[in-house]
Amino acid sequence: MNLIKKQTVPLSSVLDELLKPDWFGGFQDFEKNIPSVNIIEAETNFLIELAVPGMKKENFDIEIDSNILTVSAEISNENEGNNFKGNYTRKEFDFSSFRRSFTLPNTVNTEKINATYQDGVLVISLFKKEEALPKPKRLIEIN
């Protein structure tokens, strides 16, 4: 007699698979709408890079309030001039938006922030305050 180990699948994973909203391959995963972020600290500044391909710089809103930097974007891909007279069997590119917030350290000069958007990457430069910059090495004279 051969012994075969019975493989058990927890009920919760079966239910998760059955109740998934992607039965027909059309519902989007909302977590994918949040752009990936890189945060880089350099000697004089911080850089926040957001991967947001397919947008225009006019789509973004960057706000700062009480040391909280909020980046949001909203884009609608509706084409009002579209003369298509058929029925859609699947339509996935209607509307997308996101909102990300970052708490800034006290070392950031909130008056000196700039942003650029190029090749699908939004880069926000946050410059450090003068007192937070590293001081050059100095020689102390002995009296």
Side-chain angles (χ1 to χ4, degrees):
M1 173 160 70
N2 292 335
L3 291 177
I4 300 173
K5 188 172 185 177
K6 185 178 177 185
Q7 217 175 4
T8 59
V9 178
L11 183 61
S12 64
S13 66
V14 173
L15 287 175
D16 287 346
E17 200 59 36
L18 287 174
L19 299 175
K20 230 190 228 182
D22 201 30
W23 270 23
F24 301 106
F27 298 112
Q28 71 185 37
D29 183 3
F30 291 105
E31 290 180 7
K32 290 183 182 176
N33 281 344
I34 299 173
S36 299
V37 174
N38 294 332
I39 299 176
I40 304 161
E41 182 177 3
E43 197 171 295
T44 60
N45 64 333
F46 293 93
L47 292 176
I48 299 175
E49 299 174 331
L50 287 92
V52 282
M55 294 203 172
K56 298 176 185 167
K57 66 181 183 178
E58 296 83 26
N59 298 126
F60 298 105
D61 287 323
I62 303 172
E63 302 170 345
I64 187 157
D65 185 27
S66 302
N67 275 1
I68 296 179
L69 178 76
T70 304
V71 181
S72 60
E74 202 169 283
I75 186 167
S76 175
N77 290 327
E78 282 294 317
N79 187 358
E80 277 94 38
N82 192 353
N83 293 326
F84 180 68
K85 300 288 185 208
N87 292 325
Y88 287 99
T89 57
R90 182 172 179 162
K91 186 175 180 183
E92 293 183 347
F93 56 95
D94 277 343
F95 177 81
S96 65
S97 67
F98 74 88
R99 182 179 203 85
R100 297 268 335 233
S101 295
F102 305 93
T103 302
L104 302 180
N106 293 330
T107 58
V108 170
N109 182 354
T110 57
E111 301 299 319
K112 200 174 173 186
I113 297 174
N114 61 37
T116 59
Y117 180 70
Q118 185 176 5
D119 298 330
V121 178
L122 177 66
V123 178
I124 303 169
S125 299
L126 307 160
F127 295 94
K128 293 181 180 178
K129 292 179 181 175
E130 194 66 38
E131 59 268 14
L133 296 176
K135 305 291 185 230
K137 183 170 91 172
R138 65 183 189 133
L139 187 60
I140 298 174
E141 188 177 313
I142 301 172
N143 294 329

